[in-house]
Amino acid sequence: MAKKSSIVYYCKECGFESAKWLGQCPGCKEWNSFVEAPTVKTRSGKDVIKTIEERTPVTLGQIDTTSEERMATGFSELDRVLGGGIVPGALMLVGGDPGIGKSTLLLQVCRNISSTGKNVLYISGEESLKQIKIRANRIGEFTDNLKLLCETNLDVIENVIKNDPPQLVIIDSIQTMFREDVDSAPGSVGQVRESTNALMHLAKGLAVPIFIVGHVTKEGVVAGPRMLEHMVDTVIYFEGDRHATYRIVRGVKNRFGSTNEIGVFEMQQVGLRQVLNPSEYLLEGRPEGASGSVVACLIEGTRPILVETQALISRTNFGMPRRTSAGIDYNRVNLLMAVIEKRLGVSLGDCDAYVNIVGGMKVQEPALDLAVVLAILSSYNNKPIAADTIVFGEVGLSGEIRSVSMTAQRVSEAKKLGFKKCIMPKVSMDALDDVSGITVVGVENLNELLSLRV
Ligand code: TYD
Ligand code: MG
């Protein structure tokens, strides 16, 4: 009888497993995403640290949650992203470009938590103890409650944690970790998957929260199988331009709180500092009297945030018009330009267009639409928009301005920052109660917007 093959194939995108290589993944329909990885011998029962009570079904009333107190990270901005602090036994993935500040932020969290008397273990597979010390010196004083370990062998790490469970563990980074019983190289799909699995068992079994650092690919998702995101409880990403000083931490998945909350930080000489008034921060240095610049009010999670939207429209010199966007979906910009052409008769077909959200934030909220449209029109006509005007609203394909949620919060944030005029969807105006101190203008469609002559 032929020996059973010990190779399986995984989809890099969704973790779909197959006995043979496939051109297209049946799971997520991605092409050319299968990679080879040796099968893993299961370690029967070795990881399971469950008590007998946990193996018998219980009622909700029998579950004791009094000990489930969340641990504060010392950064209210990060706590909000995590849904109010660190939950015991949570497995949290921190992703982001290299050098954006993942290790720095986590070391600062270690410092804050260890200074409250809790034991913290920082495991690095990337840097030497000396390198970590140099970084720690920039950040400040540490207590002896923080222990460091340079190790990449997960079996060793598992023993260290089981022997003396700390109250928080940091794994920097998952791509450097390996398990001896998996034959592939560290960073490969099989290793990343099995390492995360082992860490999940540890976190759940000992109720120790674990932060995992994950590197991202060119496309901006955590390297290794997409499945990594399914396995962990919380996924947070760093956004922002590495060359600018601010960093945005965004929760994209959270089993213990709302997602899409953001926290804003600033990189300084002494590590990251949280920014408690992000709107002010993001609007800093806004050009005065320049065309193509509009301030929009967005909702990130539960919090209103003001961002500057910029557009530059210029005549194409030859051939195909160029269109680029930063911080907003490229296709959305194309769609909005098509709506402007069709509904307002403005010919943008022979124009280059560049649209940018200042501050490195990535915006997905459709409430930004109206600001993008206004910025494009302002740049096209070379007519600046008054600096004290704020805009929000979704634009539909027939040029109608559709309602958005949480209008009252948006208007009050604008008021707080001294804006005097607000252009918003007419249908959402009913939700407003207090409009003193700000002129609110409701618009129904793009033609109405044009007739405002803002
Ligand atoms: P780092 O945390 O090493 O990034 P990651 O772990 O995400 O790869 O980020 C390091 C960058 O931050 C590096 O370019 C130097 C800068 N930095 C400061 O500006 N100030 C500081 O106090 C520290 C520790 C780092
Ligand atoms: Mg690092």
Side-chain angles (χ1 to χ4, degrees):
M1 206 172 85
K3 195 166 164 278
K4 219 175 140 214
S5 149
S6 64
I7 299 281
V8 285
Y9 296 86
Y10 290 113
C11 169
K12 272 190 300 197
E13 299 299 320
C14 69
F16 189 93
E17 208 176 302
S18 161
K20 61 181 201 304
W21 190 87
L22 299 170
Q24 187 188 25
C25 172
C28 62
K29 303 279 180 274
E30 185 67 31
W31 287 96
N32 208 9
S33 63
F34 271 81
V35 289
E36 185 182 308
T39 44
V40 184
K41 291 177 232 117
T42 47
R43 300 193 290 177
S44 51
K46 200 175 158 196
D47 295 326
V48 186
I49 327 171
K50 277 188 182 157
T51 54
I52 294 296
E53 303 91 76
E54 282 179 356
R55 292 214 172 129
T56 43
V58 291
T59 64
L60 280 174
Q62 282 172 302
I63 305 169
D64 180 22
T65 51
T66 45
S67 62
E68 297 283 302
E69 252 184 36
R70 289 174 184 246
M71 185 164 38
T73 59
F75 288 119
S76 55
E77 289 288 296
L78 183 60
D79 286 345
R80 175 158 14 78
V81 175
L82 294 173
I86 302 171
V87 175
L91 192 61
M92 297 158 286
L93 179 65
V94 180
D97 290 339
I100 199 151
K102 301 180 293 293
S103 307
T104 306
L105 179 70
L106 291 176
L107 197 59
Q108 285 182 277
V109 169
C110 286
R111 173 170 180 257
N112 296 343
I113 290 179
S114 62
S115 69
T116 62
K118 295 195 167 76
N119 289 322
V120 181
L121 178 61
Y122 185 102
I123 300 166
S124 178
E126 301 204 322
E127 289 159 310
S128 69
L129 291 173
K130 283 211 182 78
Q131 287 171 316
I132 301 174
K133 168 115 191 194
I134 294 170
R135 173 174 302 125
N137 283 344
R138 297 175 71 169
I139 291 171
E141 297 283 316
F142 283 76
T143 64
D144 288 343
N145 292 326
L146 171 67
K147 298 277 185 329
L148 302 166
L149 178 69
C150 282
E151 183 57 70
T152 52
N153 186 339
L154 258 173
D155 300 270
V156 175
I157 292 172
E158 223 173 274
N159 281 331
V160 170
I161 296 177
K162 274 184 195 163
N163 283 342
D164 180 17
Q167 273 126 320
L168 178 68
V169 176
I170 315 285
I171 304 280
D172 192 0
S173 64
I174 191 71
Q175 276 85 11
T176 56
M177 299 294 152
F178 73 97
R179 272 176 58 165
E180 278 165 7
D181 50 359
V182 181
D183 293 335
S184 47
S188 65
V189 181
Q191 282 288 7
V192 168
R193 185 171 128 132
E194 287 310 311
S195 302
T196 312
N197 221 338
L199 289 168
M200 185 170 68
H201 277 291
L202 268 180
K204 304 292 168 212
L206 301 170
V208 177
I210 302 181
F211 274 108
I212 305 176
V213 173
H215 290 295
V216 294
T217 58
K218 268 211 300 286
E219 292 81 39
V221 296
V222 173
R226 202 61 200 282
M227 230 187 60
L228 202 58
E229 295 192 4
H230 299 297
M231 289 161 78
V232 299
D233 298 309
T234 304
V235 181
I236 62 182
Y237 274 108
F238 265 93
E239 280 174 16
D241 185 356
R242 194 148 57 95
H243 305 290
T245 58
Y246 31 85
R247 308 277 187 269
I248 292 153
V249 176
R250 182 190 296 275
V252 293
K253 168 183 174 180
N254 195 351
R255 287 193 182 140
F256 316 113
S258 63
T259 48
N260 261 326
E261 286 288 355
I262 64 165
V264 184
F265 290 86
E266 184 187 9
M267 184 61 95
Q268 295 185 330
Q269 282 307 312
V270 291
L272 289 159
R273 188 187 66 87
Q274 52 183 351
V275 177
L276 297 171
N277 47 356
S279 297
E280 256 169 60
Y281 201 78
L282 288 168
L283 294 183
E284 224 169 43
R286 189 155 54 104
E288 294 214 351
S291 65
S293 157
V294 177
V295 178
C297 189
L298 307 169
I299 298 284
E300 291 291 347
T302 52
R303 182 165 65 163
I305 287 198
L306 306 189
V307 291
E308 183 189 344
T309 312
Q310 292 186 331
L312 182 71
I313 308 292
S314 63
R315 202 147 296 285
T316 306
N317 282 328
F318 59 91
M320 283 271 290
R322 268 179 71 88
R323 281 164 192 197
T324 59
S325 71
I328 172 174
D329 182 21
Y330 171 78
N331 294 321
R332 189 84 201 161
V333 172
N334 276 336
L335 183 147
L336 291 171
M337 290 181 71
V339 173
I340 296 174
E341 282 215 37
K342 183 86 183 166
R343 305 295 165 196
L344 297 179
V346 178
S347 131
L348 297 169
D350 54 353
C351 292
D352 292 345
Y354 308 89
V355 177
N356 177 29
I357 308 300
V358 180
M361 208 155 94
K362 295 195 177 78
V363 181
Q364 287 186 338
E365 225 207 322
L368 184 71
D369 290 355
L370 200 54
V372 173
V373 167
L374 210 54
I376 289 173
L377 291 174
S378 159
S379 178
Y380 180 82
N381 297 323
N382 206 7
K383 235 182 93 203
I385 306 282
D388 60 357
T389 303
I390 186 143
V391 194
F392 59 84
E394 182 179 346
V395 175
L397 288 188
S398 40
E400 81 277 21
I401 316 289
R402 310 183 70 102
S403 69
V404 295
S405 61
M406 296 173 76
T407 36
Q409 283 94 324
R410 293 180 208 253
V411 172
S412 84
E413 175 81 1
K415 258 199 302 199
K416 211 162 72 194
L417 284 151
F419 285 85
K420 294 277 177 281
K421 188 170 177 184
C422 172
I423 302 175
M424 59 176 284
K426 196 172 242 164
V427 279
S428 299
M429 283 180 69
D430 302 339
L432 293 180
D433 35 18
D434 179 22
V435 288
S436 56
I438 191 161
T439 316
V440 178
V441 184
V443 281
E444 243 172 288
N445 52 49
L446 288 186
N447 280 310
E448 239 180 89
L449 181 74
L450 213 56
S451 65
L452 286 178
R453 307 198 168 281
V454 280

